[in-house]
Amino acid sequence: MLTIGELSRATGVKIPTIRYYEQMGLMAAAERSGGNQRRYESQDRERLSFIKHARDLGFTIEAIRELLELSGHPNRPCVDADQIAVRQLEIVRDKIAKLRPLEKELERITAHCHGDQIKDCYVLQSLANHDMCESEH
Amino acid sequence: MLTIGELSRATGVKIPTIRYYEQMGLMAAAERSGGNQRRYESQDRERLSFIKHARDLGFTIEAIRELLELSGHPNRPCVDADQIAVRQLEIVRDKIAKLRPLEKELERITAHCHGDQIKDCYVLQSLANHDMCESEH
DNA sequence: ATAATACCTATAGAAGCTGGAGGAAAAGAT
DNA sequence: ATCTTTTCCTCCAGCTTCTATAGGTATTAT
């Protein structure tokens, strides 16, 4: 049996976050000690590690809820789980695709600044005037 | 003189967002018509375009506040503005750098799923077991 | 004059936590 | 057994950047 602090250290998930996951229904309501403190078993640690890993990969709480639900039905086909992961891959790729033009634009803007006075500042001029941009964003 | 709706259409910033920017002090409190409706001039449109452009590039409200403040002092050196932009470039690069390993990991996870049963699902196994990952995240 | 559209304020909600206040329980030291 | 420290409890507010709704008023067009 683990206390919430031990579970936190074991998984790297902060204590208030564990309580939050319980509130959101990702973690079952934990058993309690005589003094009303949460006590966890190793299955809980595995489940929380799963959640943390998925969160680290950017899955939303909702997606994780579905993945956990699916993992409770061992004999069903796993296309649904696969689809959720594919969707997440698309989301990540989309974010990267949106950030790259920003990176380019910021590189261009900062590279042109020569430390003159504000009134000639390329950074501020670029922000004021969208026509100076090379790509869409 | 523009109404808030016209300003919204002219800049692509939604009406409640314009009011929000006013509340946050990015936009000055607008003049009002006899019936208490906001009226804007073309300077306001330029300022809002500046804000939108900066937001599109991912600058925070705080950073934009500083950039606007700086642009009000034409004779100062522009190193501060430059630094804010450099910092933003770092933030964007950092985000990309964090997303790339996630992309790789999700590619790997999804590529290995063969549509079998949940109990053999590579997606779920990978999430449950961090050791299966190739890189840190 | 009336109808349609656009505007107003105030407030709540979204996502995913994080932190604080005020108090109780557990654990270690004496 | 007592004292002290650490850990835990609940409840609630706050973060960020909007977005949406409700209930009501102004403006514009016909």
Side-chain angles (χ1 to χ4, degrees):
Chain A
M1 297 291 262
L2 299 164
T3 66
I4 196 168
E6 288 162 349
L7 180 64
S8 171
R9 264 166 265 135
T11 57
V13 177
K14 290 186 181 153
I15 291 174
T17 306
I18 297 174
R19 298 200 189 103
Y20 171 74
Y21 287 160
E22 179 179 317
Q23 209 182 309
M24 291 299 101
L26 286 193
M27 296 290 289
E31 281 181 64
R32 299 293 179 126
S33 73
N36 197 35
Q37 298 192 351
R38 291 173 179 81
R39 291 297 126 94
Y40 296 93
E41 319 235 6
S42 58
Q43 292 137 287
D44 298 313
R45 200 192 55 221
E46 282 160 31
R47 190 179 175 97
L48 186 55
S49 294
F50 181 102
I51 294 168
K52 171 156 174 58
H53 194 179
R55 282 296 301 136
D56 286 347
L57 286 169
F59 286 89
T60 63
I61 300 283
E62 254 322 288
I64 295 169
R65 199 195 305 283
E66 288 175 52
L67 288 170
L68 286 166
E69 154 73 7
L70 288 169
S71 69
H73 300 280
N75 296 319
R76 290 205 202 147
C78 80
V79 278
D80 288 353
D82 190 44
Q83 245 177 19
I84 292 170
V86 168
R87 176 85 193 97
Q88 179 58 21
L89 175 55
E90 284 167 7
I91 289 169
V92 168
R93 282 184 171 153
D94 193 55
K95 282 188 187 166
I96 293 174
K98 280 184 176 133
L99 286 168
R100 250 197 284 261
L102 303 195
E103 183 190 15
K104 289 286 152 280
E105 193 59 32
L106 286 165
E107 272 171 7
R108 205 176 55 76
I109 289 174
T110 54
H112 281 72
C113 188
H114 303 309
D116 333 24
Q117 289 183 315
I118 286 282
K119 64 174 185 288
D120 305 314
C121 180
Y122 195 80
V123 170
L124 295 174
Q125 283 171 21
S126 297
L127 287 170
N129 188 354
H130 212 133
D131 299 343
M132 293 171 77
C133 297
E134 289 191 334
S135 55
E136 285 309 305
H137 51 258
Chain B
M1 296 292 261
L2 299 165
T3 66
I4 197 170
E6 288 161 350
L7 180 65
S8 171
R9 264 166 266 135
T11 57
V13 178
K14 288 187 182 152
I15 291 173
T17 306
I18 297 173
R19 295 198 191 105
Y20 171 74
Y21 288 160
E22 180 179 318
Q23 210 184 310
M24 291 298 103
L26 286 193
M27 295 291 288
E31 281 182 63
R32 299 295 179 122
S33 73
N36 197 35
Q37 298 192 353
R38 290 172 179 81
R39 291 297 126 93
Y40 296 94
E41 319 234 7
S42 58
Q43 292 136 288
D44 298 315
R45 202 192 54 222
E46 282 159 31
R47 190 180 174 96
L48 186 54
S49 294
F50 181 102
I51 294 168
K52 171 156 174 57
H53 194 178
R55 282 296 300 135
D56 286 347
L57 287 168
F59 286 88
T60 63
I61 299 284
E62 255 321 290
I64 296 170
R65 200 195 305 281
E66 288 174 52
L67 289 170
L68 286 167
E69 153 73 6
L70 288 169
S71 70
H73 299 280
N75 296 319
R76 289 205 203 147
C78 81
V79 279
D80 287 353
D82 190 44
Q83 245 177 19
I84 292 170
V86 168
R87 174 85 192 95
Q88 179 57 22
L89 175 56
E90 284 168 6
I91 289 169
V92 168
R93 283 184 171 153
D94 192 56
K95 281 188 188 168
I96 293 174
K98 280 183 176 136
L99 286 168
R100 253 198 280 262
L102 303 195
E103 183 189 14
K104 290 286 153 277
E105 192 60 33
L106 286 165
E107 271 171 9
R108 206 176 54 76
I109 289 174
T110 55
H112 281 73
C113 188
H114 303 311
D116 331 23
Q117 290 183 315
I118 286 282
K119 64 176 186 289
D120 306 315
C121 180
Y122 194 80
V123 171
L124 295 173
Q125 283 172 19
S126 297
L127 288 170
N129 188 355
H130 213 132
D131 299 344
M132 293 171 78
C133 296
E134 289 190 333
S135 54
E136 285 310 307
H137 51 258

